[in-house]
Amino acid sequence: MVYFPPNSGTETYECYLGFFENILLCEECNVLILGDFNLPCYTNCDNKSLVLQEFLNLFNLKQINNVLNFMGRCLVLVITDVEVDVSRADEDARLV
Protein backbone atom coordinates (compact mmCIF):
# COMPACT_ATOMS: atom_id res chain seq x y z
CA MET A 1 0.00 0.00 0.00
CA VAL A 2 1.38 3.37 -0.97
CA TYR A 3 0.41 6.99 -0.49
CA PHE A 4 1.99 9.92 -2.30
CA PRO A 5 1.05 13.31 -0.84
CA PRO A 6 -0.35 15.84 -3.31
CA ASN A 7 2.31 17.74 -5.26
CA SER A 8 4.98 15.09 -4.68
CA GLY A 9 7.85 15.66 -7.06
CA THR A 10 8.77 13.40 -9.94
CA GLU A 11 11.89 12.32 -8.04
CA THR A 12 9.68 10.88 -5.26
CA TYR A 13 7.95 8.60 -7.77
CA GLU A 14 11.28 7.66 -9.37
CA CYS A 15 12.76 6.74 -5.99
CA TYR A 16 9.76 4.64 -4.93
CA LEU A 17 9.46 2.81 -8.24
CA GLY A 18 13.24 2.39 -8.35
CA PHE A 19 13.00 0.42 -5.11
CA PHE A 20 10.58 -1.99 -6.80
CA GLU A 21 12.76 -2.16 -9.91
CA ASN A 22 15.66 -3.41 -7.80
CA ILE A 23 13.49 -6.14 -6.30
CA LEU A 24 11.84 -7.19 -9.56
CA LEU A 25 15.15 -7.35 -11.42
CA CYS A 26 16.50 -9.80 -8.80
CA GLU A 27 13.43 -11.83 -7.93
CA GLU A 28 10.84 -13.60 -10.02
CA CYS A 29 7.59 -12.89 -8.22
CA ASN A 30 4.08 -11.61 -8.73
CA VAL A 31 3.36 -7.96 -8.06
CA LEU A 32 0.41 -6.21 -6.42
CA ILE A 33 0.81 -2.52 -5.58
CA LEU A 34 -2.20 -0.64 -4.22
CA GLY A 35 -2.34 2.99 -3.37
CA ASP A 36 -3.11 6.61 -3.80
CA PHE A 37 -0.53 7.93 -6.25
CA ASN A 38 -2.23 11.35 -6.35
CA LEU A 39 -2.12 11.36 -10.13
CA PRO A 40 -5.40 12.86 -11.40
CA CYS A 41 -4.35 11.54 -14.80
CA TYR A 42 -2.07 8.51 -14.80
CA THR A 43 -1.65 7.96 -18.53
CA ASN A 44 1.02 10.10 -20.18
CA CYS A 45 -0.22 13.51 -19.07
CA ASP A 46 2.80 14.69 -17.05
CA ASN A 47 6.31 13.61 -16.02
CA LYS A 48 5.08 11.64 -12.99
CA SER A 49 2.60 9.63 -15.03
CA LEU A 50 5.31 8.98 -17.65
CA VAL A 51 7.60 7.60 -14.93
CA LEU A 52 4.78 5.30 -13.80
CA GLN A 53 3.98 4.22 -17.37
CA GLU A 54 7.63 3.38 -18.05
CA PHE A 55 7.71 1.27 -14.88
CA LEU A 56 4.55 -0.58 -15.92
CA ASN A 57 5.92 -1.23 -19.40
CA LEU A 58 9.33 -2.38 -18.15
CA PHE A 59 7.82 -5.11 -15.96
CA ASN A 60 4.73 -5.90 -18.04
CA LEU A 61 2.40 -4.61 -15.29
CA LYS A 62 -1.09 -3.19 -15.66
CA GLN A 63 -3.13 -0.65 -13.74
CA ILE A 64 -6.48 -2.48 -13.47
CA ASN A 65 -8.70 -0.26 -11.34
CA ASN A 66 -11.30 1.53 -13.46
CA VAL A 67 -13.60 2.54 -10.59
CA LEU A 68 -13.98 6.32 -10.70
CA ASN A 69 -15.08 8.75 -8.01
CA PHE A 70 -17.78 11.39 -8.45
CA MET A 71 -15.24 13.65 -10.19
CA GLY A 72 -14.40 10.98 -12.75
CA ARG A 73 -11.00 10.21 -11.23
CA CYS A 74 -9.46 6.91 -10.23
CA LEU A 75 -8.30 7.47 -6.65
CA VAL A 76 -6.58 4.16 -5.95
CA LEU A 77 -4.33 2.53 -8.50
CA VAL A 78 -4.11 -1.25 -8.53
CA ILE A 79 -0.90 -2.28 -10.27
CA THR A 80 -0.31 -5.96 -10.89
CA ASP A 81 0.80 -8.76 -13.17
CA VAL A 82 -1.86 -11.19 -11.94
CA GLU A 83 -5.55 -11.50 -12.77
CA VAL A 84 -7.49 -9.50 -10.17
CA ASP A 85 -11.07 -8.24 -10.27
CA VAL A 86 -11.63 -4.71 -8.99
CA SER A 87 -15.21 -3.52 -8.61
CA ARG A 88 -17.24 -0.97 -6.72
CA ALA A 89 -18.60 -2.16 -3.37
CA ASP A 90 -22.30 -1.99 -2.72
CA GLU A 91 -23.06 1.63 -1.83
CA ASP A 92 -24.91 0.42 1.27
CA ALA A 93 -21.89 -1.56 2.47
CA ARG A 94 -20.19 -0.08 5.51
CA LEU A 95 -16.75 -0.65 6.93
CA VAL A 96 -16.84 -1.72 10.55
Side-chain angles (χ1 to χ4, degrees), residues 38-52:
N38 263 306
L39 294 174
C41 169
Y42 61 87
T43 52
N44 301 328
C45 58
D46 63 16
N47 287 339
K48 294 180 274 193
S49 63
L50 287 173
V51 167
L52 177 60

Side-chain angles (χ1 to χ4, degrees), residues 3-9 13 36-38 48:
Y3 171 75
F4 287 94
N7 302 316
S8 293
Y13 292 83
D36 183 349
F37 281 73
N38 263 306
K48 294 180 274 193

Side-chain angles (χ1 to χ4, degrees), residues 58-89:
L58 180 63
F59 294 103
N60 199 30
L61 301 171
K62 295 178 267 183
Q63 193 297 117
I64 60 169
N65 183 11
N66 294 312
V67 177
L68 305 178
N69 70 359
F70 70 96
M71 295 176 64
R73 295 184 178 159
C74 180
L75 295 182
V76 175
L77 300 186
V78 178
I79 297 170
T80 188
D81 61 349
V82 296
E83 198 66 34
V84 178
D85 182 38
V86 178
S87 60
R88 183 179 300 276

Side-chain angles (χ1 to χ4, degrees), residues 15 32 45 51 54 56 65 76 93 96:
C15 182
L32 179 63
C45 58
V51 167
E54 288 174 6
L56 298 179
N65 183 11
V76 175
V96 179

